Amino acid sequence: MASRTVEITVISGENLQIRGKPIKSDLFVTVRSDLQSENGSVNTKIDRDGDGFPRWNEKLVIDLPMHAAFVVVEVCRSASSGRKVKIVGKSRVPVADFVAGHLPESHLQFLSYRLRDEKGERNGIINLSVRVKLAPGVERIGVPVPVAMPARTFHGGGGGGVVTGIPIWNVGYQERF
Amino acid sequence: MGGCFSDVKGGQAAVGGGQQSAGNSVTESSGGGQNDAVDFYFRSHGLEGLFTQVELSLSASKLLDRDITSKSDPMVVVYIKKNGVLQEIGRTEVILNNLNPQWIQKVSVAFHFETVQPLIFRVYDIDTKYCNVPVKTIKLNDQDFLGEASCVLSEIITKQSRSLTLCLKDRDGGSRNLGGSLTVRAEETIASRSIVEIVLRCSHLDNKDVFSKSDPFLRISRVVETGGSIPICKTEVVKDNLNPVWRTLCLSMQKFGDKDNPLVIECFDFNSNGSHELIGKLQKSMGDLEKLYREKSGANFVIPSSHGGYEKVLKGQLFVDHFVEKTQFSFIDYISSGFQLNFMVAVDFTASNGNPYSPESLHYIDRSGRLNSYQQAIMEVGEVIQFYDTDRRFPAWGFGARTRDGNISHCFNLSTNPTEPEVEGVEGIMRAYANALRNVSLAGPTLFGQVINKAAEIAAHSLFANINKYFVLLIITDGVLTDLQETMEALVRASDLPLSILIVGVGGADFKQMEVLDADNGHRLESCTGRVATRDIVQFVSMREVHRGAISLVGALLEELPEQFLSYMRNRDIKPTTTTPLHLAQPYASFAPQDI
């Protein structure tokens, strides 16, 4: 089945609550395409003390089938001391938000989405960065034929990946365009 | 009012560590960035005065206690008086439940040698329900007033200790003492791009709580030559943990002095009533901390003994898990190394502006040469932006008019050429604007969506060729939007592009709606599909306010733009193309205050 590789960095969550109170701890994020079952999802590590504003800064790589329409992102509270895993917020990210349109496909994009709980009530925001990886030899799809982006202007194009300023998260700049 | 036990959250947040969330991109260094940009502009126009940038640190003692069940939760607002009008220049953070607060957030002010600069400090007790909102948005009328103090900036600077203690008095220069005093300390801002990213961790801290473990946080202060220390940051509180790891701190050289400047690091057990208990403290310079990191060794905390005289060494230790020195570039660094702002303009041609042939109309072109509101906005904003735009070719559009082909267009070229929106220079925009007024008839409704999408398309397209371009769309409008939802959708989609949008309101309409688009109140724009704006890209300015003299247009424009530009570049790790532009080293060095 044709698919593309997508790097999703789960950066942080904002204002996550349970019964009106900030969720103290133990949150992780699962990511999968809408065509996959929950078993096929990739998870971040658990953030222990986010106090409603967890930070993961973790890069997840998924294979996204070409005909997938959404990436499902769920923030879950981990099971501990008799609790079951609970989905506290969910968002369906349209694939079109990061593959179609007027941008170079491998352009790093910062995207944020509203999360909703199981009842459909608004519950916080998730911040992601997304980059579609181009397989070698694959032509860009659905975008104007571009002049190649000069990699030299990105510092650390060859490795290292030293990030200048804040915010601080673990985005690899090793990949050339 | 404050200090009920529900508001602990505000007190537990980190201050001064330069943390930033991906979305709302509020950087600590914003003060530096904006002043740089404004100064640079003025200097290039020969308008500079002799000045130096100073930072004010504030502390108070014996404040009035306004709360019944607990102590006040104080915050200071600093104003400067210009031509008899008070202008707010900054706010500190809110400190919980404390009558002797030492604020960490500094207030930055340009010290002009040649002018008298009266400063007013107002201290407020902040209501509990505001404890978790950005301080900028707190409505001061709803807060309890704790007192006011005033002085002239040069009074502080000329003191040998660079600090001055003032009694808190009644509002508006009243003479009655309200009790308590405020100490203001001034320090020259060191222009520096160096920052240190550091992760601190402790082990084996003493347990101070009875039913659970301590809730530790760190406060870092810089020891100053004239005696005493100034707090520069505090970490967030890690709950119920004797081996805490705090989030990455980002400290600028401006904050910690140099690598040999001693820093006092204190570890406290957080207490929701505001009296945090000292677990231990130690004194290390940034250089020492770097050494701890390299040697992977710990430093023991000490605690002053109750018998006085000696210090007891504790089992608790401080470790440095991560230590990186970095360079943080300013707006000017980017611009001077060849990054460009590309200016685009869109003009409102809706009928609500009034018949352009009638002198009452906002679009009336006066033969005597007096500029109408649109012309003024184009001239004033264009003049600032074209300074940063080297090719001076600007796409210029109109919206909300019936064009020659008889259809209403929400994005048409002002120039007579239907395939080429670009015109040359501000004069080119002015000519095309006057020309368009003769060629189209005003109609409606007021829709921004298409214009924003057009600008976003150009900004997105530039990414294929170049990453050193950033776009600024100026929309000049007289009023109320018909497509608020579509505009919001367009803004959310555009929020991840190298694009900022400046909306200038002309005429007397109510611009409340525009404030929604300008997400200054901390609410991020949201589309109906659930996508949320990555960052704030809109700045709204009303010409009415500009003409009333409340704000300067250059100031209003450059207030948010450099920060929006930097948030885009930094998020992507895009750096200036040449790293050490010589002419930028130490812009204020020749005006050091010791020269006076």
Side-chain angles (χ1 to χ4, degrees):
Chain A
M1 190 166 57
S3 69
R4 56 186 133 213
T5 307
V6 180
E7 290 174 359
I8 298 180
T9 303
V10 181
I11 300 164
S12 61
E14 293 177 30
N15 208 11
L16 286 155
Q17 304 188 332
I18 284 184
R19 285 186 289 278
K21 292 205 174 116
I23 303 172
K24 298 288 179 210
S25 58
D26 295 352
L27 293 175
F28 66 95
V29 177
T30 78
V31 174
R32 62 187 147 87
S33 86
D34 59 336
L35 302 174
Q36 278 167 313
S37 71
E38 283 171 38
N39 300 333
S41 61
V42 208
N43 299 353
T44 65
K45 293 191 191 71
I46 292 166
D47 177 86
R48 295 259 169 230
D49 27 51
D51 209 11
F53 288 77
R55 295 183 75 85
W56 297 279
N57 293 331
E58 193 173 329
K59 183 156 78 181
L60 303 175
V61 179
I62 60 168
D63 272 327
L64 197 63
M66 279 302 190
H67 53 291
F70 293 95
V71 172
V72 180
V73 179
E74 288 167 339
V75 180
C76 307
R77 191 174 64 180
S78 72
S80 68
S81 59
R83 277 198 318 235
K84 275 203 217 157
V85 172
K86 182 184 163 71
I87 298 170
V88 295
K90 179 173 177 171
S91 182
R92 287 163 64 83
V93 175
V95 172
D97 279 6
F98 55 89
V99 297
H102 308 286
L103 288 169
E105 258 206 13
S106 59
H107 180 68
L108 176 69
Q109 295 181 67
F110 290 85
L111 302 168
S112 302
Y113 290 91
R114 166 65 58 196
L115 293 166
R116 290 180 184 272
D117 66 14
E118 284 167 317
K119 294 191 203 98
E121 298 289 325
R122 296 151 70 102
N123 189 17
I125 288 172
I126 183 111
N127 298 311
L128 312 166
S129 75
V130 181
R131 188 202 294 274
V132 179
K133 290 189 65 170
L134 292 177
V138 169
E139 291 298 313
R140 290 165 201 267
I141 301 152
V143 285
V145 178
V147 184
M149 274 184 82
R152 57 162 182 90
T153 26
F154 273 98
H155 182 86
V162 182
V163 185
T164 337
I166 32 192
I168 309 126
W169 58 72
N170 191 12
V171 185
Y173 279 88
Q174 289 88 338
E175 315 300 335
R176 286 194 180 256
F177 286 91
Chain B
M1 294 196 80
C4 314
F5 297 100
S6 58
D7 66 346
V8 290
K9 198 136 178 262
Q12 289 183 349
V15 181
Q19 292 288 17
Q20 178 193 51
S21 82
N24 43 10
S25 302
V26 193
T27 35
E28 287 285 325
S29 60
S30 60
Q34 14 172 298
N35 290 330
D36 262 7
V38 176
D39 298 345
F40 190 52
Y41 177 76
F42 280 132
R43 237 179 300 149
S44 70
H45 285 66
L47 297 171
E48 61 173 310
L50 281 179
F51 68 90
T52 181
Q53 207 66 26
V54 293
E55 268 188 346
L56 305 177
S57 317
L58 299 156
S59 61
S61 65
K62 297 185 184 140
L63 289 176
L64 203 61
D65 197 354
R66 287 282 194 184
D67 295 357
I68 300 161
T69 53
S70 64
K71 303 196 188 81
S72 299
D73 302 328
M75 172 181 92
V76 187
V77 185
V78 183
Y79 302 87
I80 195 159
K81 202 184 232 170
K82 276 188 190 157
N83 309 324
V85 186
L86 284 194
Q87 237 178 48
E88 181 177 325
I89 53 171
R91 297 180 179 193
T92 64
E93 78 276 16
V94 179
I95 292 196
L96 281 191
N97 212 12
N98 195 329
L99 301 180
N100 301 296
Q102 217 179 359
W103 289 277
I104 293 173
Q105 190 64 53
K106 313 281 182 276
V107 173
S108 181
V109 56
F111 171 46
H112 294 262
F113 298 90
E114 72 288 2
T115 49
V116 180
Q117 294 174 280
L119 298 174
I120 316 283
F121 304 89
R122 286 184 180 153
V123 188
Y124 291 89
D125 174 17
I126 303 304
D127 192 282
T128 312
K129 63 176 183 242
Y130 296 95
C131 75
N132 222 359
V133 303
V135 288
K136 232 180 153 181
T137 65
I138 293 175
K139 292 228 171 12
L140 296 175
N141 290 340
D142 305 340
Q143 313 302 330
D144 279 340
F145 181 68
L146 296 180
E148 176 178 299
S150 61
C151 68
V152 176
L153 182 55
S154 53
E155 276 183 80
I156 313 171
I157 305 278
T158 49
K159 280 266 186 309
Q160 199 169 18
S161 63
R162 294 275 162 85
S163 84
L164 191 64
T165 301
L166 305 158
C167 287
L168 288 169
K169 302 194 174 192
D170 251 347
R171 196 184 282 273
D172 298 324
S175 57
R176 193 168 61 97
N177 278 347
L178 289 181
S181 63
L182 183 77
T183 302
V184 189
R185 187 195 283 269
E187 282 193 299
E188 189 191 351
T189 311
I190 308 152
S192 165
R193 287 173 200 84
S194 283
I195 55 162
V196 168
E197 244 177 57
I198 187 168
V199 174
L200 297 173
R201 163 173 73 87
C202 286
S203 69
H204 302 106
L205 293 176
D206 286 9
N207 197 4
K208 298 286 180 186
D209 291 0
V210 183
F211 298 111
S212 63
K213 301 191 193 87
S214 300
D215 306 318
F217 71 93
L218 295 176
R219 187 174 72 169
I220 303 179
S221 312
R222 175 163 52 90
V223 176
V224 289
E225 280 171 18
T226 50
S229 60
I230 298 176
I232 55 173
C233 81
K234 72 174 174 132
T235 66
E236 78 279 7
V237 175
V238 176
K239 273 181 254 169
D240 196 21
N241 197 330
L242 301 179
N243 302 295
V245 186
W246 289 278
R247 296 211 159 122
T248 313
L249 288 172
C250 234
L251 297 172
S252 61
M253 183 87 91
Q254 198 172 312
K255 283 186 178 137
F256 64 79
D258 58 54
K259 280 178 98 173
D260 299 322
N261 198 322
L263 304 171
V264 177
I265 302 172
E266 293 159 299
C267 182
F268 292 95
D269 175 28
F270 181 83
N271 207 326
S272 50
N273 68 14
S275 65
H276 312 305
E277 194 176 349
L278 184 68
I279 298 177
K281 66 177 198 173
L282 50 82
Q283 189 164 326
K284 292 277 172 219
S285 68
M286 218 22 118
D288 297 337
L289 292 175
E290 187 177 13
K291 208 167 146 214
L292 286 183
Y293 168 69
R294 290 195 195 292
E295 294 169 355
K296 298 202 185 323
S297 55
N300 285 75
F301 281 104
V302 296
I303 196 151
S305 158
S306 46
H307 310 298
Y310 74 102
E311 285 175 331
K312 187 182 159 199
V313 178
L314 301 171
K315 209 164 66 175
Q317 282 190 315
L318 177 81
F319 292 87
V320 183
D321 278 359
H322 173 87
F323 188 102
V324 184
E325 274 180 82
K326 286 180 177 171
T327 308
Q328 186 151 55
F329 298 102
S330 72
F331 180 63
I332 307 297
D333 291 345
Y334 283 94
I335 295 300
S336 62
S337 81
F339 280 64
Q340 276 192 32
L341 294 184
N342 290 255
F343 184 45
M344 308 187 262
V345 63
V347 178
D348 183 338
F349 281 85
T350 56
S352 53
N353 288 288
N355 180 355
Y357 297 104
S358 137
E360 281 79 54
S361 167
L362 291 164
H363 276 311
Y364 179 68
I365 293 190
D366 194 334
R367 303 257 162 198
S368 73
R370 201 183 58 88
L371 300 179
N372 71 29
S373 301
Y374 283 91
Q375 289 172 314
Q376 276 177 31
I378 294 170
M379 281 294 274
E380 291 181 32
V381 178
E383 196 177 305
V384 181
I385 299 288
Q386 83 169 5
F387 174 67
Y388 293 105
D389 185 336
T390 42
D391 75 355
R392 301 183 72 241
R393 293 190 59 82
F394 311 127
W397 302 290
F399 58 92
R402 193 178 295 281
T403 52
R404 281 208 159 157
D405 58 13
N407 296 322
I408 290 175
S409 170
H410 300 294
C411 185
F412 57 90
N413 295 345
L414 288 190
S415 73
T416 40
N417 183 345
T419 56
E420 181 49 71
E422 286 190 0
V423 295
E424 198 156 331
V426 173
E427 318 76 50
I429 305 176
M430 295 292 265
R431 266 198 308 275
Y433 161 73
N435 197 36
L437 272 179
R438 285 191 293 273
N439 288 323
V440 301
S441 52
L442 305 193
T446 311
L447 309 180
F448 283 3
Q450 288 190 26
V451 166
I452 294 172
N453 285 338
K454 187 78 195 162
E457 203 180 293
I458 292 176
H461 201 81
S462 80
L463 292 171
F464 285 101
N466 236 322
I467 53 164
N468 58 7
K469 287 190 171 182
Y470 193 90
F471 295 81
V472 181
L473 169 64
L474 166 70
I475 302 179
I476 315 172
T477 181
D478 79 323
V480 186
L481 267 182
T482 320
D483 66 338
L484 188 62
Q485 191 57 43
E486 283 98 292
T487 299
M488 276 165 54
E489 304 279 326
L491 289 174
V492 170
R493 275 197 303 274
S495 66
D496 193 41
L497 293 171
L499 173 68
S500 285
I501 297 171
L502 176 74
I503 303 174
V504 172
V506 295
D510 179 9
F511 292 114
K512 272 236 162 52
Q513 211 181 20
M514 302 299 171
E515 307 286 346
V516 177
L517 300 178
D518 186 352
D520 277 352
N521 57 5
H523 291 293
R524 287 158 71 181
L525 293 180
E526 192 171 330
S527 80
C528 58
T529 60
R531 184 168 164 196
V532 178
T534 311
R535 57 200 187 99
D536 174 19
I537 60 166
V538 179
Q539 163 84 331
F540 173 74
V541 181
S542 153
M543 271 312 241
R544 209 164 32 193
E545 300 289 317
V546 172
H547 290 150
R548 209 184 285 153
I551 44 173
S552 88
L553 195 62
V554 180
L557 173 62
L558 291 177
E559 182 183 39
E560 290 185 15
L561 187 58
E563 210 43 53
Q564 292 178 356
F565 174 93
L566 287 174
S567 75
Y568 179 85
M569 297 300 167
R570 286 176 186 164
N571 271 358
R572 286 172 175 69
D573 198 30
I574 300 172
K575 298 190 173 174
T577 32
T578 50
T579 40
T580 45
L582 281 172
H583 61 287
L584 283 167
Q586 297 283 327
Y588 306 118
S590 52
F591 309 131
Q594 52 262 36
D595 293 343
I596 35 168

